[in-house]
Amino acid sequence: MLAFGLVLNTLGIGFFSWAIFALAVYALPFFVALSIGTLAFRDGAGVFGALLIGVASGALTLAAGRVAVAFFRSLALRVAIATVFAVPAAIAGYHVVFALSQIGVPSSAWRHVFACLGAACISGTA
């Protein structure tokens, strides 16, 4: 029974880590979709309309980023586009790792150190 629990804990931690890294890639499109969807709801689009507008704007942001990276040959423009997508991922990664480090790290300084390292890793992944 103990071995079964260890296997399930390992799978759970692995799934959670995969979810964090996968969602960090989509941090900018999610932020755009949430912002535009909230704006549309506030302006009277209704729940369904705001959801539709938000999903469309997030998908458009992701598609525009991918097309821009594929279209432009300049390294500076590609780095700028990658930076635009990586900065929100770094911010999200910092907050996720900081929140998770509060579980087992008592020192505030070490929590910030781990959060900065997590932000760098997640931003590099994005």
Side-chain angles (χ1 to χ4, degrees):
M1 190 59 119
L2 182 62
F4 186 64
L6 289 173
V7 169
L8 286 179
N9 280 333
T10 304
L11 289 175
I13 290 171
F15 175 75
F16 189 68
S17 299
W18 169 81
I20 289 171
F21 281 104
L23 293 175
V25 173
Y26 303 109
L28 179 68
F30 178 75
F31 176 71
V32 169
L34 188 65
S35 298
I36 292 178
T38 304
L39 182 67
F41 181 73
R42 190 181 68 194
D43 288 340
V47 175
F48 183 71
L51 185 64
L52 187 65
I53 291 170
V55 168
S57 64
L60 185 64
T61 302
L62 183 62
R66 288 185 177 183
V67 167
V69 168
F71 181 72
F72 293 119
R73 296 291 177 211
S74 171
L75 182 63
L77 285 174
R78 285 183 175 198
V79 168
I81 294 167
T83 302
V84 167
F85 276 83
V87 168
I91 294 169
Y94 176 86
H95 288 291
V96 166
V97 174
F98 185 75
L100 288 177
S101 67
Q102 290 179 352
I103 295 171
V105 180
S107 171
S108 176
W110 279 108
R111 283 193 299 245
H112 286 289
V113 168
F114 287 137
C116 288
L117 289 173
C121 291
I122 292 174
S123 175
T125 301

